[in-house]
Amino acid sequence: MLKKLKDFFIELGHFFSFFIEALREFPSNIRHPIEIIKNIWSVGVMSIPIIVATSFCVGLILGMQLGNGMERIIAGTAQYMSGALAVSTVLELGPIFSALILVSRVCSSVTAQIGTMKVTEQIDALRTLSVNPIGYLVTPRIIAGMISLPILGSMSILATMFGGWIMLGSVHGVDTTTYLMWSQLFLKVRYVWESITKMTVLGGMLLAVSTYHGFYTSGGAVGVGNSTIKSVVTSSFLVILIDYVMSSIFSYIK
């Protein structure tokens, strides 16, 4: 037990050392943003269809279930659910849902790519060519995650609200004006900034974790598979943990 605890803290320290080294490469990557743009394309743009489609379906489900639930309690009250849907989607559902999609679609792929480069000694070849592999492979992906996830999360929120509008309107007869009025009534500008901040932190940390696991892969093809599994499990847990910690901080300082 003590050995596992010791190994955990050693790996945690190793990760933060890796993360700080990646942060040091931010200025040079921002001055030469070609790699960042390439990674925004693969991390963000390519994720838009799956994020929008699944968020729209979530909106349909939530609109149906929340509307049905309210109608069972008091008839004619389904319209009020648009307010609850808006607040919960902006604060929690949008950030968490888009981050989990990012983990499944992007983080696993990033770990496998960098892990394969590691076991085939391509990362050692970069060092031989005097290229810093962390600045070339890791930092652009972290910046791309910090830029892409807030944009993807915003699309997810809009798609979820659109799905909820269709379901509440078609099943429970909630008209557009009423839906928009109740949606805006409980929303605050502070909620939007909290959501964007949360998604920016999540985007950077998820890509840092996935590149870290890829960067320290060993053991050939089996090692790449094991690193990918560890990356997905760790990233999925971090989504919930970071969301909880940041939500607690925001609720404390409000």
Side-chain angles (χ1 to χ4, degrees), residues 12-177:
L12 194 63
H14 202 191
F15 168 74
F16 277 109
S17 172
F18 171 85
F19 186 60
I20 289 169
E21 191 173 345
L23 291 180
R24 286 182 183 151
E25 296 296 323
F26 266 50
S28 61
N29 274 272
I30 290 170
R31 283 196 297 272
H32 304 93
I34 298 299
E35 287 301 317
I36 296 174
I37 294 168
K38 287 180 185 173
N39 281 288
I40 286 175
W41 178 267
S42 61
V43 171
V45 177
M46 300 298 288
S47 302
I48 289 174
I50 185 68
I51 290 264
V52 171
T54 48
S55 298
F56 175 71
C57 292
V58 168
L60 291 176
I61 295 166
L62 288 175
M64 179 176 65
Q65 297 294 359
L66 291 174
N68 288 343
M70 281 303 289
E71 289 292 327
R72 283 193 201 102
I73 298 170
I74 306 172
T77 55
Q79 57 185 323
Y80 304 126
M81 282 298 95
S82 60
L85 185 62
V87 173
S88 60
T89 302
V90 170
L91 278 178
E92 300 297 338
L93 288 177
I96 290 178
F97 191 69
S98 51
L100 289 175
I101 293 287
L102 195 76
V103 169
S104 62
R105 204 203 76 80
V106 175
C107 293
S108 54
S109 168
V110 166
T111 304
Q113 285 172 6
I114 297 181
T116 302
M117 292 181 72
K118 174 68 177 178
V119 299
T120 56
E121 300 182 350
Q122 293 178 59
I123 290 179
D124 295 332
L126 287 174
R127 288 197 179 96
T128 306
L129 296 170
S130 300
V131 175
N132 182 346
I134 291 184
Y136 182 68
L137 297 172
V138 176
T139 308
R141 286 176 167 84
I142 293 175
I143 297 174
M146 294 173 72
I147 294 171
S148 300
L149 190 58
I151 298 171
L152 292 171
S154 302
M155 291 181 176
S156 169
I157 290 166
L158 291 175
T160 304
M161 291 303 297
F162 184 61
W165 169 67
I166 288 181
M167 188 53 68
L168 286 173
S170 59
V171 175
H172 300 291
V174 178
D175 62 78
T176 304
T177 305

Side-chain angles (χ1 to χ4, degrees), residues 223-246:
V224 173
N226 290 335
S227 292
T228 305
I229 292 170
K230 284 174 69 177
S231 170
V232 171
V233 172
T234 308
S235 300
S236 302
F237 174 72
L238 273 181
V239 170
I240 307 301
L241 180 65
I242 292 174
D243 179 75
Y244 168 73
V245 171
M246 294 192 71

